[in-house]
Structure formats: C-alpha cells, structure tokens
Amino acid sequence: MNYREYLDISPEVQAALDAKQPIVALESTIISHGMPYPQNLEFAKQVEDVVRNEGAVPATMAIIGGRLKVGVGPKELEALSDHTKVEKVSRRDIAAILASGKTGATTVATTMIISALAGIRVFATGGIGGVHRGAPETFDISADLQELAHTDVAVVCAGAKSLLDIGLTLEYLETMGVPVVGMRTDEFPAFYCKESGFGVDVRYDSEADLAKMLKIKWDLGIHGGAIVGNPVPDAYALDSGEMNKVIDDALKEAAEKGIKGKETTPFLLAKIVELTEGVSLKTNIQLAFNNAKVAAKLAVELNKLED
C-alpha cells in the first residue's frame, strides 16, 4: 500500500509517534459542521489543550490540499472553522476530495481511517452516527457503524446522537461485533442526555481496565473498534423528555424542507441549538471536552501496556 504519499503528519504528532507517546485523534466535522463560528474555532483549540493536560498528544484530522492531515496548525483550524468552504467527508468521499484538492472535515468514519493509517488507536468525538429514525424505510445508516466493525480504533463518545434511533444503532453494532462499553455507567448515554433506556455490553470504572480489554482484543486479532460511552457531566446533562420533543420538532422541519443524507445531521444540530436557545451547544462543547479527557487517560494507559 502506498497510502503514505497522501499522508501528512505534523511535527508534534510525528515526534510523539517516534517516541511512542500516547496520542488522541480528534475529528474536524465537529468543528466545521457541528458548531457555529466562532465557538467552533475556540473549541478546536481548547479540546487540544484538554488532551495535552492529561498527558497525551492531540492529533486533529482533516483533508487539506489533497493531503490527509494528522495534526493541524492554527491557520488550518481557522480554515476548517468556515463550514461554507469545507466539505463533510465520510469513507465514500475520501478519494474524490483528495483528487480535487478541496478542504474536507473528517467524520467519525474518516477520522478512524486516518487514525489507523497513522497508527493511532484512541479517538475522542462528541457522539457517533448511527441508524437514523425511519431507517427501515430510508435505509439511512451512518458509515460510522461499518467503520467501527472493521477499523482498530477505540472511539470515546457521549453515546449516539439523540436524534438517532439508538435501539437500532445498538442492534447494528451487536450484529457487527462491536463492543459497547460504558465508562462508569451501566446505561448507554444519549449525547445531550445521560440516559437512553438501553444498557451497555460491559462497564469499566477505570481507563486502565478498559485499556487491558482493548489490548487483549487487538492482540487476539479481533479486528474492529469499540464504542466507549462516556456520559455528559451532570452539570450539563439535559432532560431526555424535553430533548426528545425538541428533536421531534427539528426532524419534522428537516422532512418538510427535504433535507437528506449527509446534510441531515448538521441541519438538525443547528436547529436544536436554535430551539434550545444555545443550551444544547454548551452541552455539546462540555461533553466533547469530557470525552477528550477520558480518551487521553485511556491513551496513556494503553501506551503503558504496549510499552
């Protein structure tokens, strides 16, 4: 494979790889399409600091100028913060975006692919994609789930986005053999909300124990990632009943406007921010920080075992 001719690794990340230091991958769709400007740019800088403060090196992923970027600089973060000039890139889009030389923000699936190419095993995001409501008729299922089945990266998240069919998402993950871990919880979190009504496959109360499980999984050649459900902090958790009503209203408007495919999630997230008068954005930011913190601790523990 000659993928390295398309891969640019920042000096900071390359030094960490050479020194076998813990690294945490970060996606860029949350910057370009998950938050409004200028909060998204401030978040992008702060979340990297969260990772560093826990003893790991951040590697924000993106596609810029026909190159897969593993770690980006301040100017690149600035460019990624303008969603009007940035494509949302999932697995199917990677080759076309590279060939075009356009700027692309990486989804969960794309970030996992680039992470695996660079040799990074831990990734922090907000929430994963999954099976959309109404999928039995629309077949709208995120590519994130297929990637989790095949790519050896642990994804620390606040569960699946609340606007999805969480029950069907978990059924799909079970079918594909993806472990669903609860980080200090027995219940799979639902992004803005701590509770979803669904359980997890296994609970861990320390990152060290989780790292041990992941090492064994990959040592045995059991390919694929793992979902680490890390609930939103209590101070920022939203009421599930109220959020379901907000989400239903947002979904109704999306259907009325004919919004489909990869434009659906950015539209819904923006609409939810509007309907909650900005409260959901604060929650989104804090849960992402919390995930970055846990991911960094996990990367440190996994690094100890691999050494």
Side-chain angles (χ1 to χ4, degrees), residues 223-301:
H223 292 295
I227 288 294
V228 182
N230 182 44
V232 57
D234 288 341
Y236 300 96
L238 303 182
D239 179 79
S240 57
E242 293 177 4
M243 283 308 300
N244 282 332
K245 185 181 183 306
V246 168
I247 290 166
D248 287 342
D249 290 343
L251 286 166
K252 181 180 178 181
E253 184 168 334
E256 290 172 349
K257 292 184 175 180
I259 295 171
K260 299 178 181 178
K262 64 181 182 181
E263 301 303 324
T264 302
T265 298
F267 171 82
L268 292 174
L269 290 175
K271 191 64 184 179
I272 290 168
V273 170
E274 177 188 328
L275 293 173
T276 61
E277 298 180 346
V279 173
S280 65
L281 177 59
K282 294 179 182 178
T283 295
N284 193 353
I285 290 171
Q286 292 301 321
L287 66 83
F289 287 159
N290 192 42
N291 294 338
K293 183 176 182 179
V294 168
K297 291 180 177 180
L298 175 59
V300 168
E301 295 299 334

Side-chain angles (χ1 to χ4, degrees), residues 28-61:
S28 47
T29 291
I30 194 172
I31 302 168
S32 300
H33 301 95
M35 297 178 186
Y37 184 86
Q39 291 96 329
N40 57 352
L41 181 58
E42 188 63 26
F43 164 82
K45 298 173 182 177
Q46 290 177 340
V47 74
E48 291 194 347
D49 289 339
V50 170
V51 172
R52 291 189 181 96
N53 290 340
E54 296 297 332
V57 174
T60 299
M61 308 294 184

Side-chain angles (χ1 to χ4, degrees), residues 5 9 18 26-27 47 59 73 105 107 126 132 162-163 181 186 192 203 215 257 272 276 281 302:
E5 67 179 274
I9 301 177
D18 293 342
L26 300 168
E27 63 155 290
V47 74
T107 61
H132 284 255
S162 309
L163 49 91
V181 175
D186 295 308
Y192 302 115
R203 169 179 176 151
K215 184 176 186 300
K257 292 184 175 180
I272 290 168
T276 61
L281 177 59
L302 194 57

Side-chain angles (χ1 to χ4, degrees), residues 62-73:
I63 299 177
I64 299 176
R67 309 289 297 173
L68 302 173
K69 297 288 185 175
V70 182
V72 297

Side-chain angles (χ1 to χ4, degrees), residues 115-264:
S115 297
L117 292 176
I120 299 170
R121 292 289 188 96
V122 180
F123 163 33
T125 185
I128 61 164
V131 179
H132 284 255
R133 301 185 190 189
E137 290 76 37
T138 64
F139 291 93
D140 192 351
I141 301 173
S142 171
D144 296 353
L145 302 188
Q146 276 289 321
E147 209 58 52
L148 280 158
H150 302 295
T151 304
D152 299 354
V153 175
V155 180
V156 181
C157 61
K161 295 182 175 74
S162 309
L163 49 91
L164 302 171
D165 187 319
I166 294 179
L168 288 181
T169 297
L170 292 173
E171 288 285 353
Y172 194 106
L173 290 169
E174 180 182 2
T175 299
M176 302 307 294
V178 178
V180 177
V181 175
M183 196 68 223
R184 303 180 184 90
T185 181
D186 295 308
E187 185 166 358
F188 189 66
F191 199 58
Y192 302 115
C193 310
K194 295 179 71 70
E195 64 284 330
S196 67
F198 297 94
V200 295
D201 297 327
V202 60
R203 169 179 176 151
Y204 288 107
D205 290 310
S206 76
E207 286 80 7
D209 289 341
L210 172 56
K212 181 179 178 181
M213 183 276 280
L214 291 171
K215 184 176 186 300
I216 292 171
K217 177 184 187 299
W218 292 324
D219 281 351
L220 292 173
I222 302 174
H223 292 295
I227 288 294
V228 182
N230 182 44
V232 57
D234 288 341
Y236 300 96
L238 303 182
D239 179 79
S240 57
E242 293 177 4
M243 283 308 300
N244 282 332
K245 185 181 183 306
V246 168
I247 290 166
D248 287 342
D249 290 343
L251 286 166
K252 181 180 178 181
E253 184 168 334
E256 290 172 349
K257 292 184 175 180
I259 295 171
K260 299 178 181 178
K262 64 181 182 181
E263 301 303 324
T264 302

